Amino acid sequence: MIGFAIHSRQRAVSAELVEQFRRIPVANVSDCMSRMAAGGARLRPMHDGTLMAGPALTVRCRPGDNLLVHKALDLAAPGDVIVVDAGGDLTNAIIGEIMTSYAATRGIAGIVINGAIRDSGAIRRNAFPVYAAGVTHRGPYKDGPGEINRTVALDGMTIEPGDLILGDEDGLLCVPYDQAQELYQQAAAKHAAEEQTLAQIAAGKLDTSWVDARLRAQGCDPAAA
């Protein structure tokens, strides 16, 4: 049935690559993607801030309904990140403490809800990664429809099943499967450069001459001040 189906995932980023990305802040990866991709500022970490990384298992569900999310919890492999597009609606919670506890026991790497959660206090006190757009005590329905392992989009960020999903305290980012290896090399170099800058700051040796050079290039005299 169109709009009510479960599909198989054809590919996924490797566990080795996932572990490599865990060492790099999301902001560094985002910079290397021309700062053009983001999961939306509304999607915030609801847990204790533990880093999240893993291949996406995508779910599209009717706002306020979590039947397909329950199925995704059973289908997900250890290390997967379940990404749920619930339309961004905050009327009904899609998951709560029971579902996140079950996900953790299955080795799932995290859950992203483009919608609301409940039991926020319990989730906040735990390390299991949960990102969501809001909180409400009103529970979900379990009727469908929905789809598993179809393309979803969160605030313009397209996610294909098996793409790499990253999350830290700055938010969420999807790294496309075909670009993941190349982006890792670029992001690792970016991270190393920023670590060097921080070391220069700590030593009192940071060179800020680029600021005046940029002002001159834009037609502004830096000496006027």
Side-chain angles (χ1 to χ4, degrees):
M1 180 184 298
I2 295 174
F4 204 166
I6 298 169
H7 309 278
S8 60
R9 189 172 63 185
Q10 302 302 310
R11 62 185 187 179
V13 292
S14 69
E16 293 77 14
L17 193 56
V18 170
E19 288 306 310
Q20 289 176 320
F21 269 97
R22 282 186 182 277
R23 300 191 290 266
I24 304 175
V26 169
N28 289 159
V29 184
S30 178
D31 284 349
C32 294
M33 296 177 70
S34 300
R35 301 164 183 160
M36 291 293 290
R42 288 205 313 161
L43 293 174
R44 304 302 308 155
M46 298 291 177
H47 58 295
D48 71 355
T50 298
L51 299 177
M52 181 181 72
L57 188 154
T58 60
V59 182
R60 182 188 298 143
C61 61
R62 180 168 62 91
D65 191 289
N66 73 357
L67 177 61
L68 272 293
V69 182
H70 279 280
K71 183 60 179 178
L73 290 177
D74 288 334
L75 291 176
D80 281 349
V81 173
I82 296 177
V83 180
V84 182
D85 181 8
D89 183 76
L90 304 182
T91 306
N92 297 83
I94 299 297
I95 63 169
E97 182 181 11
I98 289 176
M99 293 178 73
T100 56
S101 297
Y102 178 54
T105 65
R106 298 208 63 248
I108 293 169
I111 301 178
V112 177
I113 304 291
N114 185 22
I117 65 164
R118 66 178 182 177
D119 305 322
S120 60
I123 290 172
R124 184 170 55 251
R125 291 188 293 270
N126 280 281
F128 181 77
V130 176
Y131 288 77
V135 176
T136 179
H137 55 78
R138 292 173 57 165
Y141 301 99
K142 296 173 172 60
D143 303 308
E147 289 187 289
I148 293 176
N149 283 324
R150 283 300 200 199
T151 303
V152 297
L154 309 183
D155 201 24
M157 184 176 73
T158 302
I159 302 169
E160 301 279 355
D163 285 351
L164 175 62
I165 303 298
L166 302 173
D168 64 14
E169 292 177 334
D170 284 341
L172 291 165
L173 183 64
C174 173
V175 177
Y177 174 91
D178 292 332
Q179 300 171 13
Q181 187 63 59
E182 178 184 359
L183 277 167
Y184 169 71
Q185 302 298 332
Q186 296 175 11
K190 172 72 173 175
H191 183 48
E194 290 200 355
E195 290 291 295
Q196 184 177 11
T197 298
L198 289 170
Q200 292 170 349
I201 291 172
K205 297 180 179 179
L206 183 65
D207 180 6
T208 61
S209 60
W210 68 270
V211 177
D212 285 354
R214 182 66 61 86
L215 287 168
R216 292 189 189 94
Q218 298 295 325
C220 178
D221 182 4

